[in-house]
Amino acid sequence: MGDNSSDTMPSPAKIAAQEDALLKQFFAEVSEVERDNEVNRILSCFKLNPFDYLNLSFDSSIDEVKRQYRKLSLLVHPDKCKHPQAKEAFGALAKAQQLLLDPQERDYILNQVNAAKEELRAKWKKQLKKDTASKLKSLVTEGKFDQEHEQSEEFQHQLKLKVKEILTDQEWRRRKMAMRISEEEGRLKKDEEETKEMWKRKREHEEQWEGTREKRVSSWRDFMKGGKKVKKGEIRPPKLKTEDPNKSYVQRPVKRG
C-alpha cells in the first residue's frame, strides 16, 4: 500500500485558520480586567514609538509585528472589550502596525534607535575606563561582556528612554521647521496680495486717467484756440518790445500821472 500521509496533512491555509480559531477562543476566555489593563497600557504609551504600542523590542521582525498586532487587536477589539476607550486603543495599534510595515517610517525609527545605541555605547566605554575589572573582562571575553550588557534589562530600559528623548527632539525640530515654513508661506502670501493690490490700484488709476483723455484733449484744444482769458482784475504780462529787432527785453510798465 502507498503512503497517503501527504494527502492527510493540512495545508498552510488550514493551519493558519486553526491557529486563528485557537487564538480567538483563548481571548474569548480572557477576563475583562485583563482587557482593560491592556487598553490602559496602550493609551499610556509614548506616542512616537510604535514598538512601544505593540510591546515589542526594537529588533522585532516584520512577522513578529504582524503576529503581535493580531494578538493585541483581538484583546482590545471594541466588540469584545467594554472599556470606554477600547476603540481608541484599537486604532493606536493599527497605526503602530502601519508605521512599522512602512519601510520608510520603519527605517526612520530604527535610525533613531541606532543613534541612541551609539550614545549609550559611548557612555558604557567611558565607564569601562574607570572600572578596570570590567574593562579586563570585556577584553578577555572578546565582546561577549558588552553583548550581555546590551541584552540586560538595565540597558534596554536606558535605550527606551534614550530613544524617547531623541524622537521627542526630532519631533520638536520637525514642528519648529513646519512652523517656520508656515510663517514664510504666510509672509509670501501677504507680499503677493499687497503686490496684487498695488497693481490693481495702478490699473484703476490708469483707467481713470484714460477715461478723462477726451475731456483733457478737448480742454487743451479750447485753450489753444481761444487763448488764455484774462480774468477781471488780472494784469496781463508786458509784451516784448519789437521796435528794435536786435534787442529782446521786456519793457517795464510806465506809470502815468
Side-chain angles (χ1 to χ4, degrees):
M1 293 179 64
D3 187 3
N4 297 324
S5 59
S6 58
D7 297 335
T8 58
M9 289 181 64
S11 64
K14 190 173 182 180
I15 293 174
Q18 291 174 347
E19 289 178 352
D20 285 342
L22 290 173
L23 195 61
K24 290 179 181 179
Q25 182 181 356
F26 171 75
F27 282 112
E29 299 172 358
V30 174
S31 68
E32 198 64 36
V33 173
E34 290 176 286
R35 293 180 185 274
D36 289 349
N37 289 340
E38 184 59 24
V39 171
N40 292 330
R41 184 198 68 80
I42 293 170
L43 297 179
S44 65
C45 288
F46 175 51
K47 293 183 178 181
L48 300 178
N49 183 0
F51 286 100
D52 199 14
Y53 279 107
L54 293 173
N55 200 18
L56 289 171
S57 61
F58 294 119
D59 57 355
S60 299
S61 66
I62 296 295
D63 289 336
E64 288 174 324
V65 169
K66 293 178 180 179
R67 285 197 298 269
Q68 185 74 343
Y69 169 73
R70 285 171 56 206
K71 176 182 175 181
L72 298 183
S73 61
L74 285 173
L75 189 61
V76 301
H77 196 286
D79 293 342
K80 302 294 183 181
C81 181
K82 297 179 181 179
H83 194 288
Q85 292 179 287
K87 186 176 181 180
E88 183 179 345
F90 183 78
L93 288 177
K95 184 178 180 180
Q97 180 189 227
Q98 181 183 3
L99 289 173
L100 293 179
L101 294 183
D102 184 310
Q104 187 174 355
E105 293 290 344
R106 183 183 178 89
D107 287 346
Y108 168 76
I109 295 168
L110 291 180
N111 284 337
Q112 312 314 313
V113 172
N114 290 332
K117 283 183 178 180
E118 290 302 318
E119 284 194 38
L120 294 178
R121 284 168 181 165
K123 184 179 178 181
W124 170 247
K125 288 180 180 179
K126 288 183 179 180
Q127 291 178 351
L128 287 180
K129 289 182 180 179
K130 297 178 181 179
D131 188 349
T132 307
S134 296
K135 183 179 180 180
L136 290 173
K137 188 175 181 180
S138 177
L139 293 172
V140 170
T141 58
E142 298 181 349
K144 291 182 180 180
F145 182 63
D146 295 335
Q147 292 178 3
E148 290 175 359
H149 168 70
E150 292 189 9
Q151 293 172 358
S152 66
E153 290 186 8
E154 180 184 359
F155 181 85
Q156 292 301 319
H157 178 68
Q158 291 178 353
L159 178 60
K160 192 174 181 179
L161 293 178
K162 180 56 67 173
V163 169
K164 181 178 181 179
E165 179 184 330
I166 293 177
L167 287 175
T168 301
D169 184 61
Q170 291 292 341
E171 178 66 11
W172 167 246
R173 291 174 183 271
R174 185 192 67 79
R175 292 188 183 187
K176 191 175 180 180
M177 182 60 69
M179 187 181 299
R180 290 180 63 183
I181 292 173
S182 179
E183 290 175 352
E184 183 64 16
E185 288 176 346
R187 186 187 66 79
L188 292 175
K189 186 177 180 181
K190 183 180 179 181
D191 290 346
E192 183 181 356
E193 291 175 351
E194 289 178 351
T195 302
K196 286 182 179 179
E197 184 64 26
M198 181 189 71
W199 284 108
K200 180 182 178 183
R201 289 196 300 267
K202 184 177 180 180
R203 188 168 55 252
E204 290 175 349
H205 176 73
E206 290 175 350
E207 290 174 355
Q208 291 175 358
W209 178 257
E210 190 64 25
T212 60
R213 177 183 178 84
E214 291 298 327
K215 184 177 180 181
R216 288 183 284 106
V217 171
S218 177
S219 299
W220 176 252
R221 286 173 180 170
D222 292 343
F223 174 80
M224 295 301 290
K225 286 179 181 179
K228 187 176 180 183
K229 295 182 179 180
V230 180
K231 295 182 180 180
K232 187 176 182 181
E234 182 180 4
I235 300 176
R236 184 185 294 274
K239 295 182 179 179
L240 293 175
K241 189 175 180 180
T242 58
E243 285 80 357
D244 187 351
N246 297 323
K247 295 181 179 181
S248 58
Y249 56 86
V250 177
Q251 182 179 5
R252 295 181 179 179
V254 180
K255 291 184 180 180
R256 297 179 180 179

